Amino acid sequence: MIVMKFGGTSVQDAARIRAAVSIVQRHRDRQPVVVLSAIAGATRELLTLATTALEQGWQAACAPLASFENRHRGILADLGLDAAAEHQVGDTITTYAEEIEEFLKGVALLKQLTRQTQDTILGYGERFSTLLFQAAAQSSGLDVETVDAATVMITDARFRAARPDRAELETRSAATILPIIAQGRIPVTQGFIGATRDGIPTTMGFEASDYSASLLGAALGASEIQIWTDVAGMLTTGHTAVDDVKCVRELSFDEAAELSLFGAKVLHPKTVEPAIDRNIPVRIMHAANPDAPGTTITAAPTPTGVPVKSIAVKEQVTTLRMRPLSPTPRHVSLRVIAEIVDRYELSPILITTSGHRMAWVFDDPGLGAAADTSPALAAFGTHFDTICNPDCAIVSVVGEMTERADGTLARALGVLTDTTLHIASHGASDTSLSFVMPRHETAHAVRKLHDEFFAGAALGGLFGPAEAPR
Ligand code: ADP
Ligand code: MG
């Protein structure tokens, strides 16, 4: 059995939905379980609807809700279903839209948008996409059944960033999904969303459908987790400043985890965790070119001796430099920082220390608010002299770094001579080197690094073309 996850762009119109259906059809013998994202942009639109209702009242959200609904109706019309099926799906679209309308009215009336309400509203994107996919699949003769993710993906009540109960997922998916497969049918479910044990809708964070797919793959003991998307696979860089990118054929779990953590958006950072636990290969595949090999991520990829496999960029990070206001033992400083990080749920990604001075790099632009109004920053300020720089980026070179770095560090520094390096980090990970720099310098730095490690050189069979042959 395999899990096949299709991202938002791969289901964003009728033609792409039909293409996804035919990809599933081709893999039919491998007992696919399909996981879907909302159509491209839908989750953000829903979020905008909710904040519009909150800030400007219900009427202001009416027109955008109608256009959200009509986008899905347009896809339905383009699917060319028979009249009865089209009618039935149309009715469900009406029902969902009316439900969203009720929630938006509630938000406007109460003048309150809690994380819980937000999750309830955001979850509709995936309900619409699975509805359309199911209809398209059935009309092509695929025997699919939609399983509501809320009945299997049980999570805690940490809304917007809910954490799954993997034991419960295993029990429930064995009870509801396996029987569908055993009947020779194809289960389809929503990524991104779940529910608490009490049935309150939750979401696992933006872009988390990849994570849903791998959680499900691990729970079901799948032989492969396929992430179908709009690029050829993991590219040598996702940065738009580079045009001669290549597709990396093989990566280790560690390399893929590091790349996604450091900004390679093609894979949600948590995706590989469940796959590692059960040692299940993850493949990134190009929906527009289903015959291409894509990228295969395993525990032990074929050794190649190629030191650098890809360059990741995270363009919105905040660097916070700190020095204690009064003499403080280092372990106390660390405890204070850890406590603030925990209290404000910050995401540190990189740390360097030198004596009593420390620099922490956070995934939270401006630490969650404009720098001067951030309560977290104020909390740091009561203990430390702080210099906060919210306009930073991290550029990470990922591959097989030995402790000698095989000259990789020297080569990287050699081409970054005209880059302002706030921080260079090497040593914590044996798969990455990271450089923190002003955001406006990233394009130039990435181009230099990419030229150094990927241009022209004989790279062997590890890299393939990034573009789909048309
Ligand atoms: P999906 O909707 O299928 O989940 P995403 O937009 O989340 O797709 O991820 C695919 C996008 O990730 C690509 O279109 C590309 O712009 C971006 N990306 C960033 N870094 C990389 C990388 N190293 N390799 C491939 N894609 C990358
Ligand atoms: Mg994605």
Side-chain angles (χ1 to χ4, degrees):
M1 177 229 316
I2 61 172
V3 173
M4 306 178 76
K5 177 260 171 177
F6 291 88
T9 42
S10 308
V11 291
Q12 71 179 356
D13 54 37
R16 286 184 171 88
I17 291 177
R18 279 196 297 263
V21 168
S22 88
I23 291 170
V24 173
Q25 206 144 26
R26 294 159 59 137
H27 288 263
R28 202 177 183 164
D29 295 345
R30 298 182 71 189
Q31 303 183 306
V33 175
V34 178
V35 176
L36 300 178
S37 299
I39 64 173
T43 311
R44 300 261 165 215
E45 273 181 57
L46 287 166
L47 185 58
T48 306
L49 287 176
T51 51
T52 303
L54 175 72
E55 289 161 8
Q56 300 170 45
W58 145 244
Q59 271 80 8
C62 282
L65 173 57
S67 95
F68 177 87
E69 181 184 343
N70 285 333
R71 213 173 132 204
H72 291 92
R73 281 196 198 285
I75 297 175
L76 171 61
D78 292 345
L79 282 175
L81 307 180
D82 66 54
E86 183 166 333
H87 192 77
Q88 199 185 1
V89 176
D91 282 351
T92 310
I93 290 181
T94 305
T95 307
Y96 287 170
E98 283 169 0
E99 287 172 12
I100 297 173
E101 185 177 321
E102 291 303 310
F103 287 120
L104 294 176
K105 280 180 179 161
V107 167
L109 215 55
L110 294 166
K111 296 201 189 314
Q112 188 187 43
L113 177 59
T114 61
R115 291 181 175 205
Q116 176 177 335
T117 306
Q118 212 181 73
D119 274 3
T120 298
I121 294 171
L122 293 191
Y124 277 93
E126 275 69 14
R127 294 188 199 287
F128 278 109
S129 65
T130 44
L131 175 71
L132 293 169
F133 183 92
Q134 173 179 284
Q138 282 167 346
S139 86
S140 335
L142 267 193
D143 193 359
V144 299
E145 179 174 335
T146 302
V147 175
D148 184 354
T151 64
V152 289
M153 189 64 78
I154 302 306
T155 70
D156 64 8
R158 207 163 168 258
F159 298 102
R160 297 204 305 199
R163 286 173 294 214
D165 180 335
R166 290 181 53 186
E168 194 67 36
L169 172 64
E170 204 168 316
T171 314
R172 295 196 184 209
S173 55
T176 56
I177 295 179
L178 289 182
I180 299 174
I181 301 172
Q183 291 162 16
R185 306 172 65 223
I186 299 173
V188 175
T189 191
Q190 302 89 6
F192 176 57
I193 64 177
T196 64
R197 274 169 200 277
D198 304 330
I200 301 169
T202 57
T203 68
M204 301 197 294
F206 272 82
E207 315 279 348
S209 292
D210 302 335
Y211 184 40
S212 302
S214 75
L215 285 165
L216 208 55
L220 293 166
S223 61
E224 190 168 291
I225 296 157
Q226 299 178 343
I227 307 293
W228 290 85
T229 187
D230 63 350
V231 280
M234 184 66 78
L235 306 176
T236 47
T237 182
H239 200 289
T240 50
V242 181
D243 46 23
D244 58 339
V245 293
K246 299 167 180 71
C247 172
V248 192
R249 297 269 194 249
E250 282 193 66
L251 286 170
S252 69
F253 284 130
D254 286 346
E255 289 163 344
E258 208 92 339
L259 280 166
S260 57
L261 180 72
F262 283 115
K265 185 178 165 253
V266 70
L267 215 55
H268 183 275
K270 288 187 185 162
T271 312
V272 296
E273 277 172 28
I276 290 175
D277 293 350
R278 298 283 161 98
N279 199 16
I280 304 171
V282 176
R283 293 184 73 188
I284 305 172
M285 305 289 290
H286 197 175
N289 187 11
D291 293 322
T295 300
T296 303
I297 304 162
T298 56
T302 319
T304 57
V306 175
V308 175
K309 298 193 178 159
S310 179
I311 300 166
V313 186
K314 208 164 172 73
E315 286 211 85
Q316 285 257 312
V317 299
T318 297
T319 302
L320 188 61
R321 289 165 196 282
M322 290 177 273
R323 193 171 51 103
L325 288 171
S326 55
T328 312
R330 233 171 319 163
H331 68 278
V332 176
S333 290
L334 281 170
R335 190 164 61 220
V336 168
I337 295 174
E339 194 273 321
I340 297 171
V341 165
D342 185 45
R343 188 175 352 139
Y344 295 98
E345 297 181 14
L346 302 176
S347 310
I349 15 185
L350 211 147
I351 303 165
T352 55
T353 71
S354 171
H356 290 284
R357 292 165 192 266
M358 295 186 217
W360 286 56
V361 181
F362 292 95
D363 202 355
D364 316 80
L367 290 175
D372 54 348
T373 57
S374 161
L377 192 56
F380 285 118
T382 61
H383 302 273
F384 301 94
D385 222 357
T386 58
I387 302 173
C388 180
N389 185 348
D391 299 313
C392 297
I394 303 184
V395 175
S396 303
V397 171
V398 174
E400 290 164 27
M401 310 290 152
T402 63
E403 277 184 357
R404 279 172 32 247
D406 289 336
T408 305
L409 178 59
R411 284 174 71 189
L413 288 172
V415 296
L416 294 178
T417 44
D418 55 355
T419 298
T420 313
L421 286 184
H422 292 318
I423 298 170
S425 166
H426 169 236
S429 156
D430 46 18
T431 44
S432 71
L433 287 176
S434 294
F435 304 100
V436 181
M437 60 187 70
R439 192 176 310 143
H440 67 269
E441 294 189 27
T442 49
H444 178 68
V446 173
R447 241 183 260 121
K448 291 275 225 149
L449 289 166
H450 197 273
D451 278 353
E452 171 66 21
F453 293 110
F454 301 111
L459 296 165
L462 181 60
F463 301 93
E467 279 314 310
R470 309 253 159 211

